[in-house]
Amino acid sequence: RLAVSFNDMAESLSKQITHLEEFGGLQRQFTSDVSHELRTPLTINRTLIEVALDDPEAPDSLRHLGTTLLTVNSRHERLIEGLLTLAGSHQLATKARVPVAELVRRAIGNLESDAERAQVVVTARLDEVYIEGDAVLWERLAHNVIDNAIRYNLAEGGRVWIDLFRVGDDMRLVVTNTGPVVADDIVPALFEPFRRAVAEDRVANSNRGAGLGLSIVRSVATAHGGTVHAVARPEGGLTVTVTLAAIQ
């Protein structure tokens, strides 16, 4: 009777897992489809607003409204791009030798102006490390984890430290930042879509992200067979560590 009960339980769990996997696939497909559908109207909105702002006779009230609408539209476009990446990063379409340090340096360069505006000093120590994977997705991972560290930082005098190195057969990317104190029980939820730490003294509150940054980081890391975890620093901020298998 015990064996029969155990087998029934195992079969039930198997069915639940199958249903969850099917639901996950449907959810990702739905996210991708909706995101694609929203891309076109957002692009049209941005074009119309930019054309209106280019009119030399446009009154100041229209320019103020147009600038506000562009900011909102830009936020929505970032959200759509994040959703598309999240939906498409669960499985790698291509695999190649990826120069991780090069991509991290590129991500730092792309975020240099954001860091300057936020008064955040970025320090990087990057060893030449290689992985097998998708370079485009991995660059998005690096961009998101660094962008998150810059964005959620101190209002003045913020710091971000980026370390890339090899430990045995693994590669580790460690991004640490100053910032508001984050409660330990909140940290795991930061990797869920649309979740943010509750804090008022953030960098660039008016230009917050869509709440998908670390969720995408986790999805891309998982697709590469790696892991990502974060630890709250007692003095404020986070240390986020991405670990993947390295290659020669």
Side-chain angles (χ1 to χ4, degrees):
R1 286 198 301 270
L2 179 61
V4 171
S5 297
F6 185 84
N7 288 337
D8 289 343
M9 181 184 69
E11 184 178 357
S12 176
L13 284 173
S14 177
K15 289 180 180 178
Q16 291 181 45
I17 291 172
T18 300
H19 290 157
L20 284 172
E21 289 175 345
E22 291 175 353
F23 174 76
L26 290 172
Q27 186 182 46
R28 289 192 292 273
Q29 186 61 49
F30 173 78
T31 301
S32 179
D33 291 345
V34 171
S35 299
H36 278 296
E37 289 298 321
L38 290 174
R39 253 179 165 176
T40 300
L42 285 173
T43 302
I44 294 173
N45 285 348
R46 173 162 45 82
T47 303
L48 291 174
I49 296 169
E50 290 173 344
V51 169
L53 290 177
D54 282 341
D55 184 356
E57 299 181 0
D60 291 341
S61 58
L62 177 61
R63 293 187 180 282
H64 177 74
L65 176 61
T67 301
T68 302
L69 290 175
L70 274 180
T71 300
V72 173
N73 203 80
S74 176
R75 189 178 301 123
H76 290 162
E77 287 181 310
R78 290 199 304 272
L79 172 61
I80 296 306
E81 290 302 319
L83 287 171
L84 284 170
T85 301
L86 186 60
S89 62
H90 292 266
Q91 186 174 359
L92 299 181
T94 60
K95 285 187 178 182
R97 189 168 183 260
V98 177
V100 180
E102 178 182 328
L103 298 183
V104 174
R105 278 192 288 267
R106 188 184 303 170
I108 294 171
N110 291 337
L111 291 165
E112 185 176 2
S113 59
D114 292 345
E116 290 177 354
R117 282 194 299 269
Q119 301 180 45
V120 172
V121 177
V122 179
T123 303
R125 294 180 298 182
L126 310 176
D127 293 341
E128 296 300 326
V129 183
Y130 297 86
I131 64 169
E132 183 180 44
D134 187 311
V136 173
L137 283 178
W138 219 94
E139 184 174 353
R140 175 58 67 93
L141 180 153
H143 181 281
N144 281 13
V145 72
I146 298 169
D147 176 61
N148 194 78
I150 294 171
R151 191 183 300 274
Y152 299 103
N153 211 305
L154 297 175
E156 293 182 356
R159 297 290 303 273
V160 172
W161 298 272
I162 304 167
D163 293 284
L164 175 66
F165 53 93
R166 183 166 180 157
V167 179
D169 294 331
D170 291 333
M171 173 231 75
R172 286 185 186 168
L173 174 65
V174 182
V175 179
T176 302
N177 70 327
T178 53
V181 175
V182 180
D184 291 335
D185 58 346
I186 293 178
V187 173
L190 297 180
F191 290 96
E192 299 299 327
F194 311 110
R195 294 297 298 271
R196 303 185 182 96
V198 179
E200 296 300 326
D201 49 338
R202 296 172 178 163
V203 164
N205 277 309
S206 62
N207 191 32
R208 295 186 305 171
L212 290 168
L214 289 182
S215 178
I216 292 172
V217 168
R218 183 180 64 176
S219 294
V220 175
T222 301
H224 282 80
T227 61
V228 56
H229 73 276
V231 177
R233 303 173 70 229
E235 61 271 41
L238 293 171
T239 295
V240 179
T241 302
V242 182
T243 304
L244 279 79
I247 62 173
Q248 298 297 327

